[in-house]
Amino acid sequence: AQRVTQPEKLLSVFKGAPVELKCNYSYSGSPELFWYVQYSRQRLQLLLRHISRESIKGFTADLNKGETSFHLKKPFAQEEDSAMYYCALSGRNTGNQFYFGTGTSLTVIP
Amino acid sequence: DTGVSQDPRHKITKRGQNVTFRCDPISEHNRLYWYRQTLGQGPEFLTYFQNEAQLEKSRLLSDRFSAERPKGSFSTLEIQRTEQGDSAMYLCASSLAFTRDRDKYNEQFFGPGTRLTVL
C-alpha cells in the first residue's frame, strides 16, 4: 500500500543552522515525490518535486529509492522558512491520487 | 484568474443536515481534486476529476459523500446527513494534465479550503 511517513511533527532549529525534514515512503514502482509548504494564513503550495531537480528557496530534496526517502534539506535556515511542510506521493500505481504525510511544523528560532 | 476559489469558507451545520461546497479551479486546469484535512493530519484524498469525468474515488469515502463536475469547470462536493466526524477542512486543488512542460504537469494549486463544523 502507498504510504508517506514524516516522523517529526515538530522541528525547531536556529537561524543559520542546517535543517532536514524527513520523509519516507512506501510505493511499488516509480513514484513522483513532492514537498508542499503552508505558511501561516496561506494556502498549501508546491515547494518542489523530485523530477525538477531544482533548488527552491534554498531547499533541495533527493529521491533515494534504496532507502525510500525524499528528505528536504536546507543548509542555512531562515526565519521565513517557518511553516508547515508536507511530503506527498503520486504515481501511476495510485491512479494519480496523491498521498500526503502528516506534516512537519518547522520553527526557525531567530 | 486569481487561483482556485472555494465557497463557503466556513460552514456550521447541525448533525443530520446536508451541506454542499463549491470549488472553482484555475480556468485552464483539467484536473480537480477534493481532499479532507483534520487537525494534525495531512490532506486526505477524497476524489478527483479529469474534465467532467470522476476518475478516482477513495475507498474510505462514505456513500454520504458525492461530487460532481458537470461541465468540466467548477465542482461541488455534497455531504448528506452530516455527522460530527465530518468536521474538517475540505480542500480543493486543480492541476494541468497533458502539458509538455514537465515541471507544470500535475502541479496542484490549492484553494483556501472550506472549514466544516458539525454540531
Side-chain angles (χ1 to χ4, degrees):
Chain A
Q2 294 81 15
R3 182 181 299 170
V4 176
T5 303
Q6 293 180 251
E8 304 138 329
K9 279 275 190 190
L10 303 169
L11 184 62
S12 296
V13 299
F14 286 100
K15 178 182 173 181
V19 61
E20 181 180 51
L21 289 82
K22 291 184 167 51
C23 172
N24 289 89
Y25 67 90
S26 165
Y27 184 83
S28 300
S30 295
E32 257 198 275
L33 273 299
F34 305 79
W35 276 100
Y36 280 82
V37 61
Q38 188 166 25
Y39 300 102
S40 179
R41 298 191 188 87
Q42 294 187 27
R43 58 186 71 186
L44 204 56
Q45 59 185 282
L46 179 67
L47 180 61
L48 55 80
R49 60 198 302 176
H50 86 272
I51 61 172
S52 297
R53 295 182 173 275
E54 285 182 333
S55 172
I56 307 292
K57 300 185 178 183
F59 284 97
T60 59
D62 290 319
L63 178 59
N64 186 322
K65 290 187 178 181
E67 296 183 358
T68 60
S69 68
F70 188 57
H71 302 328
L72 184 67
K73 300 177 184 179
K74 185 170 182 177
F76 307 104
Q78 302 299 314
E79 290 179 63
E80 55 266 29
D81 296 329
S82 295
M84 194 74 182
Y85 292 81
Y86 294 96
C87 182
L89 172 154
S90 185
R92 286 185 182 178
N93 290 358
T94 73
N96 289 310
Q97 294 184 35
F98 276 70
Y99 291 85
F100 283 79
T102 51
T104 297
S105 176
L106 174 66
T107 301
V108 180
I109 304 164
Chain B
D1 195 325
T2 56
V4 179
S5 62
Q6 292 186 244
D7 184 69
R9 295 291 305 275
H10 303 273
K11 178 70 177 179
I12 300 174
T13 192
K14 292 183 179 178
R15 189 176 54 186
Q17 298 294 306
N18 298 346
V19 294
T20 300
F21 309 140
R22 177 179 170 123
C23 171
D24 286 88
I26 293 172
S27 56
E28 65 266 28
H29 284 183
N30 47 13
R31 281 188 182 162
L32 187 149
Y33 293 77
W34 283 100
Y35 294 88
R36 175 172 58 192
Q37 187 174 21
T38 54
L39 197 63
Q41 300 297 316
E44 174 193 2
F45 170 84
L46 294 179
T47 188
Y48 98 93
F49 293 84
Q50 184 155 300
N51 300 314
E52 64 274 11
Q54 188 173 16
L55 295 189
E56 290 288 336
K57 191 174 174 180
S58 170
R59 282 170 288 178
L60 302 175
L61 200 60
S62 159
D63 290 343
R64 297 183 296 105
F65 287 69
S66 62
E68 293 183 340
R69 195 183 182 198
K71 297 181 181 178
S73 56
F74 74 91
S75 175
T76 57
L77 177 69
E78 182 183 17
I79 309 174
Q80 296 182 326
R81 304 180 303 281
T82 52
E83 301 173 357
Q84 287 183 325
D86 297 331
S87 295
M89 177 74 86
Y90 289 84
L91 297 169
C92 174
S94 69
S95 69
L96 186 66
F98 313 123
T99 171
R100 291 182 180 178
D101 188 337
R102 193 171 70 157
D103 286 344
K104 292 196 184 311
Y105 168 71
N106 221 17
E107 174 183 350
Q108 295 191 54
F109 291 80
F110 280 82
T114 295
R115 182 168 295 283
L116 172 66
T117 302
V118 182
L119 302 176

